[in-house]
Structure formats: structure tokens, C-alpha cells
Amino acid sequence: MPDHVPSERDAALSNPCRGHYIAGMSDLLHVVGGGLAGSEAAWQAAQRGVQVVLHEMRPECGTFAHKTEKLAELVCSNSFRSDDDEHNAVGLLHWEMRQAGGIVIEAGDRHRLPAGGALAVDREAFADAVTSKLLSHSNITLETGEITDLPEGGQWIFATGPLTSSALGEALKAESGEESLAFFDAIAPIVYADSVDMSVAWAQSRYDKGETEDERRAYINCPMTRNEYEAFVDALLQADKTEFRVGETARYFDGCLPIEVMAERGRETLRHGPMKPVGLTNAHAPDQKPYAVVQLRRDNMLGTLFSIVGFQTKMKYGAQIDVFRMIPGLHDARFARLGGIHRNTFINSPRLLDEQLRLRSKPHIRFAGQITGVEGYVESAAMGLLAGRMAAATMTGRSLPPVPPTTAIGALVSHVTGGADARTFQPMNVNFGLFPPIDARGGRRGRRDRYKAYTDRAKRDWASWLEAPCPEVAV
């Protein structure tokens, strides 16, 4: 986390791309969707002197997943994943967003929870912080209510996320001339910490990651013997599950598979995935190696809530309680939230969007966030950050230089706007496979050294991009 977080005034005055409004152009940027991407887009544009109207359909139109009316509500995990900015692509993405004054990562840093090497946040405090900061910004106005179609004029960013309303989804299909792509996303359950039997479970992060004792104890571990594991897999396979509509086929994102789907791929799949027993020592029986381990991760600052890591599920509620209470240490578990499954809508960005995230058929409309086909909280917010800056440059008569594809944000936007094959396009997390290869001359590199080379190059290029002049353009 940076030592100094610039004030709104500092950031606006020091920004070389702040520019000025162009006579005759719309003086409002409309951002549709108050999730992570929309919140970040509104913030970035407002910081550059643009007047923003942020449209959020809640509370008038709710969703099954949202529980509050707050902006930037986290509806699935509370983890932003690895914070290692030297050897991990998503950690590098965190770093780039910090350097760019991102509101999402700044709020995450301020309300982080112990989580070993990951950036996990107190979801309530996080949403409160983002909401408060956006609503107190002099350049941002919030309007509630549903936007159901694609407007013909003005400047717009659509960041409606995976839970895009059916009406807007129909408008997108009509505009694109093809069926919207979709997969199904699942939510993991959350357990009350005081209902976990700590005479069976123990607190420890994998490989004891974390700088403090609190961080190294940010996870609760529930061990299983082989017989317990086999019985648990049988119960998963036999449990009642959510059925899809006739003719509807589920296409899951591999990074968020329901646990039952993983179990269907082979009885040992879970032991090599979310239930792997490596890097952990049972505090109650140090000499006994568990056959499998279920991990729970702290979900709030008080440490009263823990989410079950990797346990996204499509089981029906009654079945979830029965099956998850089979886990040693959770036999009396009380659930603050059970898991669920929802349709996740995204557009075929390589076919529909240009390199400025603009809809080719309506270039006054940009898209940002998960609807563009990036996957993950941080990736979604990063696309919002970029879309907000791009829109602000357009509205202030500036030319924003292309984002280097050697950076994490550049690699993502390059992928969704043309790097991916439109015929097989699927949502993607940030990963080093999206980056231009590192020159291997001078000898072979180990994976860790190679990743460090990627991040060193990215940091240099991102810093240069942030400092690059944004010349005025003729209108």
C-alpha cells in the first residue's frame, strides 16, 4: 500500500490528462452499474474533472445475490487473491491499480483482513468506504433505477456486470445481432466462526504465509481422513442440485466451478484442488497428515464470519446444510449465507468492442468490467479504471496513449478487444500467458525468475504510461 494516498484535488490538479470540456460535447458521463467496475470508472473520470452520473438499478430492481443497496458490494468471495506483485499476475494488477489511484484497491488496502499472502477484505467496511467516497465526490451524482436500453447519444460506460438485467440483456442481443454468451457462476457459503469446533479444526494459513501471527492464522482448517473424504464425495455427488431450464446448458468458468462439478470430474479432483492437504500441519495431531483439508477464510474484520474456500455450489439449501455438516469441525455449523448459482452474462468483446472498449456500432458507448469477458473482482475493477480514463480523455479533448500490452491492464484489454478468438471467447482471469513473451536470450529462466521479469517490465511500462503526455486532439 502506498505511504501517501493523493487527495481528490491533488490527483485532479497533477493529472496530465485532466484537460477541459470541449464546447458542444455532452458534459456528462453516464456510468451504468454501481459494482466494482462502475465505481472505479466513475471515480477515475470524476478525478479528471468530468461530471459523472452513476446509475444503479438497486434498490428499485434487486438481484438474488445482492443483500444491500451499497455500491461495490461483494457478492461472492471477499478475496482479491494474491497480493504478490513480483511473481503473480493478479498481484501485479493490484500494484498497477495502486499506482493509478484506484478507489477499489485503496478501499481494499484500508479494510484488508489477515489472509496470508492474499488481499482479503471486510466486505461490509469495504462497500461502505467506496460508497461514502463516491457519494461525497463533487463530480459524481447517483441516480437509482434501471437502464433498459442502449442510448443514442451522450457518453456512456456500461458496467452492469454478470447480473445484467434481462431487459438490458435483450437490448444487447438486439444490437449485437447474436445471442449473448453466458456461463454460470457459483457462490460459496459463509459460516459463523463460533459454530466451528476448534477442538477438531485449527487456525493456520497454507505454508504459514503472512507477516504477522494474525495473518498466519487467518484460515481455519478442517481435516479429513480418507474414509471421511470418500463419504463426503459420495454425498456431493448424490445431493439435490439446482436444475436449469429446459434447453439451457451450463458453461462454467473453470476458476469458479461448483464443488459438485469438480467432484464429477474424478474422486481425487478435490484433493488436488480446494481440499489439497499440503502446506498444513494439524495442531491437534502434528504427526498425522490429513488425507484432505477444507479451508475457511476470514470474511470480516471481527473474525466472526468465515467463507468456505473453493466451495461454490449449486446444491439446494437443505442439501448444503446436510453435506457441509459432514465436514469435521462443522458438524454444528451455522450458516450466515448458503451458496448459490447464477447466470453470468458477458458480451463477445473481441467481435463487438474496439481497442478503446467502445461498441463498434455505437462508439459513444463503452463497456467495462465482467461483462467484457474478464473474470474476477480485480480484473473487473481494472477494466473500469481504464474505461473511466478513456472516457474522460475523450470528453476533455485528449488523446490517451495505448496501454502497453506488457502491463497487466494492457494485457487484459488487448485480450478482450482482439487478442482472443471471437469464435471461442470465454471469460479470463489475468495471467502471464496473456503477456508478450519475455526475451529468453541469455539462458533459460526458472518460472519464478521469469515471472519476476514480467513484473519488472510491466512496472516500468505502466509507470511510463501513467506519466505520458496526453495531447489535445482537434475537434
Side-chain angles (χ1 to χ4, degrees), residues 178 181 251 346 348-351 418-426:
E178 59 182 89
L181 301 178
R251 289 189 291 170
F346 63 99
N348 194 328
S349 291
R351 181 172 293 155
D421 187 338
R423 295 171 300 178
T424 58
F425 184 58
Q426 285 288 302

Side-chain angles (χ1 to χ4, degrees), residues 81 89-90 93 96-97 349-350 357 372-384 386 403-420 425 427-431 434-436:
R81 312 197 317 277
V90 74
L93 196 55
E96 292 180 7
M97 294 175 71
S349 291
L357 294 170
T372 66
V374 298
E375 176 60 26
Y377 285 150
V378 186
E379 291 89 337
S380 177
M383 291 299 95
L386 191 56
V403 186
T406 52
T407 65
I409 292 179
L412 276 173
V413 73
S414 295
H415 177 74
V416 302
T417 60
F425 184 58
M428 180 70 73
N429 286 120
V430 67
N431 64 83
L434 302 180
F435 291 56

Side-chain angles (χ1 to χ4, degrees), residues 75-318:
V75 298
C76 296
S77 167
N78 72 320
S79 176
F80 289 176
R81 312 197 317 277
S82 173
D83 203 33
D84 177 2
D85 62 17
E86 292 192 342
H87 308 98
N88 187 282
V90 74
L92 171 63
L93 196 55
H94 293 176
W95 183 91
E96 292 180 7
M97 294 175 71
R98 289 185 180 110
Q99 302 307 304
I103 188 176
V104 166
I105 201 71
E106 190 268 340
D109 284 333
R110 288 189 183 277
H111 299 286
R112 69 187 303 154
L113 299 173
L119 174 56
V121 306
D122 182 323
R123 67 178 74 221
E124 293 292 332
F126 170 83
D128 282 339
V130 175
T131 301
S132 175
K133 200 163 185 179
L134 287 173
L135 297 187
S136 64
H137 200 297
S138 60
N139 289 341
I140 297 176
T141 302
L142 177 66
E143 289 191 3
T144 59
E146 184 180 5
I147 302 295
T148 59
D149 54 20
L150 299 178
E152 292 299 328
Q155 289 292 319
W156 294 75
I157 296 175
F158 279 80
T160 49
L163 299 181
T164 296
S165 70
S166 58
L168 184 56
E170 289 301 317
L172 287 171
K173 284 198 291 186
E175 179 64 30
S176 66
E178 59 182 89
E179 287 294 310
S180 291
L181 301 178
F183 63 99
F184 287 82
D185 206 359
I187 296 174
I190 295 176
V191 174
Y192 288 104
D194 62 5
S195 70
V196 180
D197 185 351
M198 295 304 293
S199 69
V200 176
W202 76 96
Q204 180 192 10
S205 65
R206 201 178 299 278
Y207 298 109
D208 292 312
K209 286 186 177 180
E211 296 181 0
T212 67
E213 182 64 18
D214 198 31
E215 291 176 332
R216 290 190 289 271
R217 295 172 60 84
Y219 293 81
I220 291 175
N221 304 280
C222 301
M224 281 188 177
T225 64
R226 180 166 188 160
N227 288 341
E228 289 169 335
Y229 174 81
E230 294 289 350
F232 180 73
V233 171
D234 287 339
L236 282 176
L237 296 174
Q238 296 166 13
D240 288 337
K241 302 172 183 70
T242 301
E243 299 295 333
F244 303 111
R245 295 192 296 268
V246 175
E248 190 170 57
T249 302
R251 289 189 291 170
Y252 299 104
F253 171 58
D254 279 345
C256 200
L257 287 173
I259 190 167
E260 314 83 24
V261 174
M262 285 188 274
E264 291 168 357
R265 294 185 173 185
R267 298 191 68 85
E268 292 293 290
T269 301
L270 295 175
R271 288 189 64 241
H272 296 279
M275 295 176 67
K276 57 182 177 288
V278 300
L280 299 165
T281 301
N282 189 338
H284 306 297
D287 297 330
Q288 297 178 15
K289 182 175 178 58
Y291 189 73
V293 173
V294 175
Q295 277 202 314
L296 287 70
R297 180 181 56 239
R298 188 184 297 187
D299 203 77
N300 66 343
M301 185 64 72
L302 294 175
T304 57
L305 300 175
F306 278 73
S307 57
I308 309 182
V309 177
F311 269 47
Q312 304 83 218
T313 181
K314 62 176 182 174
M315 285 187 289
K316 294 183 177 179
Y317 284 170

